[in-house]
Amino acid sequence: MTSIKNQINYIFVLVVLLSFFGCMEEDISYKTTSDGVVVTLKNEAIKSGTSLVYMQVLSPTIIKIAIASKDSSLNMPSLIAKEKLNESVTFDIQQKDEIIVLSTDSLTVKLNLENNEIGYFDTSGKLLLEQKQSSIVPFRDSIVGNQNFIKQNFKYADDEVLYGLGQHELDELNVRGKKIELTQQNTRVSSPVILSTKGYGMYWDNYSKSIFNDTGDTSFISSEIGDKIQYYFIKGHHFDLIISGLRDLTGTAPMLPKWALGYIQSRNRYKNKKELVDVVKKQRRLKIPLDGIILDYLHWGDKGFGSMVFDPMDFPNPEGMIDELHNQLNCKLIVSVWPSLKKGIANWKLFDNKNLLLDLNLGDFGQVHDAYNPAAGKLYFDLVKKNYLDKGVDAIWFDATEPEQLEKFAQTRSFIGPTAKYLNLYSYYDMKNIYNGQRELSDNRVFALTRSAFLGQQQFGSVIWSGDIGVDFQALKEQVPTGLNFSMTGIPYWNTDIGGYAGGDPNEPEYQEVFTRWFQYGTFTPFFRAHGRRQPMKTRSGENELWSYGAEKQKILTKFVQLRYRLLPYIYTLFNQVYSQGYTPMRALAFDFLADSKVYEINDQFMFGSDIMVCPVLEKGATQREVYLPKGTAWFDFWTGKKYEGGQKIVAAAPIDILPLFVKAGAILPMGKVMQYVDENPDDKMEIRIYDGEEANFVLYEDEGENNNYENGKGSRISFTYFSKDRTLEIGAIAGEFDGMLKSRTFDIVLVSEKSGVGLFYSKEFTKSVIYKGQPLNIKL
């Protein structure tokens, strides 16, 4: 009897299910694919143009969402992100009532068939993000033809903090409650990536003018033009994992040449060869470390933008000048180039004859070449090669790669279609053309300084600077969160004109203070470069060299250049981690202290690497500043060795010659000798500072410095492991090798205290000094 009853119940349930799915057939259907699920929505979804949803599994933690009104749009490939990643992913698709459930071993994605909303959950069932209403609205105009306006609503948690979106001159980190236009302009760089304190990131995969809006009662991202809505959800319990996922998706950042980590001197502009070379000679004479100098625009005299020549009156025999810089002064030369060509000059004719120019004429600045066109990109690179690289120029500064005049630019038509649709990608394609050309040309690492960027550009050796910003404390104050938010979009190499761009008189005490505080901050940005158009501002800058700011300030500025060079072993290791681990060297505090909610909206402190906390002085006349010490570790004052417990605010001394710096307990800080340029001398004697209180580990990385052999494993790693309980340091056997690798060296080991291992200078007394020849050592301290 029980068996028959069970069979009747089974049949009843089966009939109900078949009836349910029969009804559902009218409204919804889905099919699994090898990498996800495609859902066809009907009824209300049709009205909003969002009848197709593709949830694609790229990795256990990366989900691509595409929403479209037709199959042809749904499957259009991204211009930036890879279609597949190099891993096989196990996932599961189920339907539970009116919910499609996609699961990996790291997250669960639920598509609600009643309202077409999507929820993202971690493995414990905690909701991370809700995708709300979607809309795709077709339109037509004379510039772009048939296109769509797209908009995606999201719901963020009340206590959630969001970062990223690029460089937007905000004086705070958190972008919640803000409306931000995502376009490229001088001083603004848009990269549509957000990181959340809930443990996820998102890349909005659209290249047209877009809006991030979290004001009022609604939160959305919209774009003026899009074939579909497309974005990538990346889960990660800390930000490094999310950024690493972004790099897996959009390209690995290569290592910069080692010299690019040193100090670079610049101003707008050096008038002639004598002026430029004399600056380098004086810097060497004063023993102020230097690795490069920049020759800014108009070095071509009256020949016009895009002529790519050295003016024969001001810069005769440029090859001889470069040879002197290289072989007598050990200094690299970076030269400024623009993407435009003056109408009528010979180079302009080369582009015009082949229809390789955009219909964007910037007057005296010239007509912009169509970087979206591979033929234009190749011709442009060939001219850069012929006129600069072949003469010995070490790197190029690509100015104005937004390009300028946004509204006019948006009206043009490029090789790949209406420029408005690809508005934010000009710099991406420009740097791609340059990088590929240089990689084919030589085995030297590519370094390019530029004023714009988009996610993915990190793979082209790009260093981005923040454009023509102001020169006062308010501008400096904005640069700190601006740079941190930019770094949280996956592009690791960023800097700012130290001292700001337009203005500032080196003879005025008030500006001397601004420049000094800015310089201290700039010491701890990925690229260390002073630049600006100082008073008197006519056709070019007044002086901007370190001695221009008076003897007292020169001494302070020199101190910080020397500190940068002492820290190069640490910094170079960080830059290898950028390549090998998807790391970010300039870090908002939430990177390393996500469990401490008090750091979420601290806008004026950051980590340089995971061990050094930088606390810039951003107020006029300040001789001290409040510092929050994140909880979970103890902290050492870098200058005094005094130890503090974390989780508290302190008042740190900040006289004009001090930038408050704190090193966390459990850090191992390798510090080299002060050199006048990188690799002036071998690092055969290195101070190893150990900040006691926790177990510590550091893996020192070294390689050949300028070529790409590191990509083939040519490099060495030496591991340092400190056991606090018994004060023992283990130095592991050297792993790897490269040409010129040291066979023997001295490590002077210092347990940091208020008596030793503090400040700029090499410690006079060591806890222990050892000779290291590549074999393991176990040292009792």
Side-chain angles (χ1 to χ4, degrees):
M1 179 69 72
T2 301
S3 176
I4 294 173
K5 189 175 182 179
N6 286 342
Q7 290 180 38
I8 292 172
N9 287 339
Y10 173 78
I11 293 170
F12 174 79
V13 171
L14 183 60
V15 168
V16 170
L17 287 173
L18 288 173
S19 175
F20 172 76
F21 286 115
C23 293
M24 288 293 294
E25 187 65 28
E26 297 178 5
D27 298 320
I28 188 76
S29 64
Y30 74 91
K31 63 177 180 180
T32 58
T33 67
S34 61
D35 58 3
V37 59
V38 177
V39 184
T40 303
L41 306 174
K42 295 185 180 180
N43 297 335
E44 291 301 316
I46 295 176
K47 298 176 185 178
S48 63
T50 58
S51 56
L52 293 169
V53 179
Y54 181 16
M55 299 192 295
Q56 181 183 1
V57 182
L58 293 170
S59 83
T61 58
I62 302 177
I63 304 296
K64 171 183 173 181
I65 299 294
I67 302 171
S69 58
K70 54 186 178 180
D71 285 333
S72 58
S73 297
L74 193 71
N75 295 307
M76 289 180 66
S78 170
L79 294 178
I80 300 299
K82 300 171 186 174
E83 288 302 296
K84 294 186 181 297
L85 300 181
N86 295 325
E87 59 179 306
S88 177
V89 186
T90 299
F91 64 92
D92 180 61
I93 304 289
Q94 294 184 21
Q95 181 165 348
K96 297 180 180 180
D97 297 327
E98 295 193 30
I99 296 177
I100 304 289
V101 181
L102 183 155
S103 301
T104 73
D105 61 11
S106 298
L107 61 84
T108 298
V109 186
K110 297 179 180 181
L111 170 58
N112 189 320
L113 302 176
E114 288 188 328
N115 55 24
N116 305 326
E117 296 177 356
I118 296 175
Y120 299 88
F121 302 81
D122 66 15
T123 53
S124 70
K126 175 186 173 184
L127 178 64
L128 302 175
L129 174 67
E130 289 182 87
Q131 175 196 299
K132 308 299 280 188
Q133 182 181 4
S134 312
S135 66
I136 300 175
V137 180
F139 70 92
R140 178 177 177 79
D141 70 22
S142 59
I143 301 296
V144 300
N146 292 319
Q147 294 293 341
N148 302 301
F149 173 82
I150 63 173
K151 181 179 178 181
Q152 180 61 66
N153 288 273
F154 295 96
K155 183 178 180 181
Y156 308 113
D158 291 342
D159 62 345
E160 184 172 4
V161 176
L162 298 179
Y163 308 108
L165 298 176
Q167 169 189 294
H168 295 282
E169 293 185 292
L170 303 174
D171 59 5
E172 56 186 358
L173 276 169
N174 189 2
V175 299
R176 292 297 306 274
K178 293 181 173 56
K179 181 179 180 180
I180 299 173
E181 179 183 296
L182 301 177
T183 55
Q184 314 292 26
Q185 303 176 48
N186 187 353
T187 75
R188 307 286 177 90
V189 180
S190 295
S191 191
V193 172
I194 60 173
L195 299 188
S196 167
T197 53
K198 293 298 181 185
Y200 71 86
M202 182 172 61
Y203 161 49
W204 177 256
D205 193 22
N206 186 279
Y207 329 117
S208 69
K209 180 179 178 179
S210 301
I211 298 291
F212 169 87
N213 192 327
D214 187 43
T215 62
D217 297 328
T218 183
S219 298
F220 65 83
I221 304 177
S222 65
S223 294
E224 286 193 348
I225 303 170
D227 297 297
K228 56 181 171 178
I229 292 170
Q230 184 158 286
Y231 67 90
Y232 298 78
F233 179 92
I234 304 111
K235 178 183 175 291
H237 62 270
H238 58 78
F239 286 175
D240 283 313
L241 287 176
I242 301 169
I243 296 293
S244 179
L246 281 170
R247 303 254 184 87
D248 288 343
L249 192 62
T250 64
T252 299
M255 289 189 70
L256 299 180
K258 191 174 182 181
W259 63 263
L261 279 62
Y263 176 62
I264 309 297
Q265 175 60 43
S266 182
R267 68 160 108 138
N268 176 355
R269 59 185 172 85
Y270 294 110
K271 178 175 169 48
N272 53 42
K273 170 188 173 181
K274 183 177 187 308
E275 188 173 66
L276 182 144
V277 173
D278 282 353
V279 164
V280 180
K281 287 180 177 178
K282 185 170 182 178
Q283 191 121 351
R284 292 287 181 240
R285 190 165 63 250
L286 294 173
K287 299 294 184 185
I288 304 174
L290 174 73
D291 264 278
I293 192 165
I294 293 176
L295 178 57
D296 204 350
Y297 72 156
L298 300 183
H299 59 269
W300 49 77
D302 61 0
K303 306 302 186 295
F305 280 77
S307 56
M308 300 190 192
V309 297
F310 292 88
D311 180 72
M313 294 293 292
D314 290 335
F315 295 95
N317 185 20
E319 292 94 334
M321 177 185 73
I322 295 168
D323 183 72
E324 181 179 1
L325 289 172
H326 286 173
N327 297 320
Q328 296 181 37
L329 297 169
N330 296 290
C331 180
K332 306 293 186 182
L333 180 66
I334 303 168
V335 174
S336 171
V337 177
W338 288 56
S340 49
L341 306 99
K342 183 178 180 181
K343 191 170 184 177
I345 67 171
N347 287 347
W348 176 86
K349 292 177 182 177
L350 291 175
F351 283 84
D352 187 56
N353 289 340
K354 297 180 180 179
N355 196 29
L356 300 177
L357 295 165
L358 295 173
D359 187 18
L360 177 61
N361 198 320
L362 305 178
D364 290 340
F365 293 98
Q367 191 170 355
V368 177
H369 80 281
D370 185 356
Y372 301 94
N373 187 332
K378 184 179 186 310
L379 177 57
Y380 184 71
F381 172 75
D382 287 346
L383 291 173
V384 169
K385 173 183 179 297
K386 174 184 175 183
N387 294 299
Y388 294 116
L389 301 178
D390 286 353
K391 287 180 169 62
V393 171
D394 298 282
I396 307 295
W397 174 358
F398 293 95
D399 208 338
T401 54
E402 311 84 57
E404 294 188 329
Q405 298 194 16
L406 173 70
E407 297 304 321
K408 290 183 179 180
F409 177 52
Q411 301 295 309
T412 66
R413 188 171 186 84
S414 73
F415 175 76
I416 58 176
T419 303
K421 187 176 181 180
Y422 309 102
L423 192 70
N424 289 328
L425 291 186
Y426 186 90
S427 182
Y428 174 90
Y429 278 101
D430 196 17
M431 294 304 96
K432 179 181 181 180
N433 296 332
I434 295 298
Y435 181 81
N436 289 340
Q438 286 194 254
R439 286 302 301 255
E440 292 177 7
L441 175 65
S442 77
D443 192 42
N444 288 337
R445 296 180 197 176
V446 178
F447 159 77
L449 181 62
T450 189
R451 200 167 77 181
S452 190
F454 195 85
L455 178 63
Q457 195 170 313
Q458 71 275 357
Q459 64 190 304
F460 306 135
S462 295
V463 175
I464 289 76
W465 103 96
S466 57
D468 299 344
I469 53 177
V471 294
D472 55 14
F473 269 112
Q474 179 59 34
L476 171 57
K477 188 175 182 179
E478 291 171 353
Q479 288 303 292
V480 181
T482 289
L484 295 174
N485 265 332
F486 179 82
S487 297
M488 284 191 275
T489 66
I491 306 172
Y493 303 134
W494 180 89
N495 78 122
T496 173
D497 289 348
I498 289 176
Y501 177 67
D505 187 342
N507 295 308
E508 294 181 352
E510 286 189 4
Y511 182 69
Q512 290 176 358
E513 182 187 8
V514 172
F515 188 89
T516 301
R517 292 306 195 185
W518 208 314
F519 196 90
Q520 292 168 345
Y521 159 66
T523 305
F524 294 92
T525 57
F527 187 60
F528 185 24
R529 173 191 61 106
H531 180 69
R533 190 174 180 179
R534 302 288 168 254
Q535 300 286 358
M537 294 191 305
K538 294 181 181 179
T539 58
R540 63 191 187 94
S541 169
E543 290 188 358
N544 190 46
E545 290 65 49
L546 304 196
W547 51 85
S548 311
Y549 293 88
E552 177 198 3
K553 299 302 189 294
Q554 177 189 327
K555 183 178 179 181
I556 297 168
L557 300 173
T558 300
K559 167 184 173 180
F560 279 88
V561 180
Q562 292 173 333
L563 178 57
R564 173 79 174 203
Y565 279 75
R566 285 221 63 199
L567 287 170
L568 278 178
Y570 174 77
I571 298 171
Y572 197 64
T573 297
L574 298 183
F575 278 49
N576 174 257
Q577 292 173 5
V578 169
Y579 167 75
S580 62
Q581 300 174 25
Y583 190 75
T584 300
M586 183 172 162
R587 309 160 65 79
L589 297 182
F591 268 93
D592 297 287
F593 304 99
L594 194 58
D596 184 353
S597 61
K598 289 182 179 179
V599 310
Y600 289 176
E601 299 194 53
I602 292 180
N603 308 306
D604 58 355
Q605 300 173 212
F606 63 96
M607 300 299 294
F608 191 61
S610 296
D611 293 325
I612 301 174
M613 185 168 64
V614 183
C615 308
V617 179
L618 307 173
E619 302 292 339
K620 178 182 176 181
T623 57
Q624 60 184 27
R625 62 150 293 174
E626 186 177 81
V627 169
Y628 176 70
L629 302 173
K631 66 183 179 182
T633 186
W635 295 89
F636 289 80
D637 185 317
F638 175 83
W639 302 105
T640 67
K642 185 176 180 179
K643 188 176 181 180
Y644 299 86
E645 290 304 313
Q648 64 170 323
K649 289 181 179 180
I650 64 167
V651 175
I656 189 64
D657 65 329
I658 291 293
L659 165 66
L661 299 171
F662 293 86
V663 184
K664 69 180 185 181
I668 297 175
L669 201 60
M671 299 183 69
K673 297 174 285 189
V674 172
M675 300 187 189
Q676 294 307 301
Y677 53 92
V678 301
D679 294 334
E680 177 190 22
N681 299 302
D683 266 323
D684 55 359
K685 186 176 176 64
M686 190 177 293
E687 182 181 10
I688 307 297
R689 295 186 181 179
I690 299 176
Y691 295 81
D692 200 0
E694 298 178 25
E695 291 192 3
N697 180 264
F698 187 85
V699 181
L700 178 69
Y701 175 82
E702 296 174 318
D703 63 20
E704 294 165 19
E706 288 201 34
N707 59 41
N708 294 306
N709 289 342
Y710 72 94
E711 295 177 339
N712 299 315
K714 290 288 186 179
S716 70
R717 289 175 172 83
I718 302 172
S719 66
F720 296 81
T721 304
Y722 175 70
F723 299 95
S724 181
K725 186 176 181 179
D726 59 2
R727 290 194 172 186
T728 299
L729 176 68
E730 291 183 357
I731 306 178
I734 195 166
E737 61 181 4
F738 61 92
D739 290 345
M741 185 173 73
L742 288 172
K743 303 298 183 184
S744 177
R745 68 203 312 169
T746 299
F747 289 134
D748 293 322
I749 303 159
V750 184
L751 276 175
V752 173
S753 69
E754 294 185 46
K755 296 180 180 179
S756 59
V758 298
L760 168 65
F761 297 108
Y762 208 103
S763 298
K764 295 180 180 179
E765 297 181 4
F766 314 114
T767 308
K768 189 92 57 156
S769 185
V770 298
I771 304 297
Y772 178 74
K773 296 186 177 182
Q775 301 303 314
L777 295 174
N778 191 294
I779 305 148
K780 182 72 174 178
L781 300 177

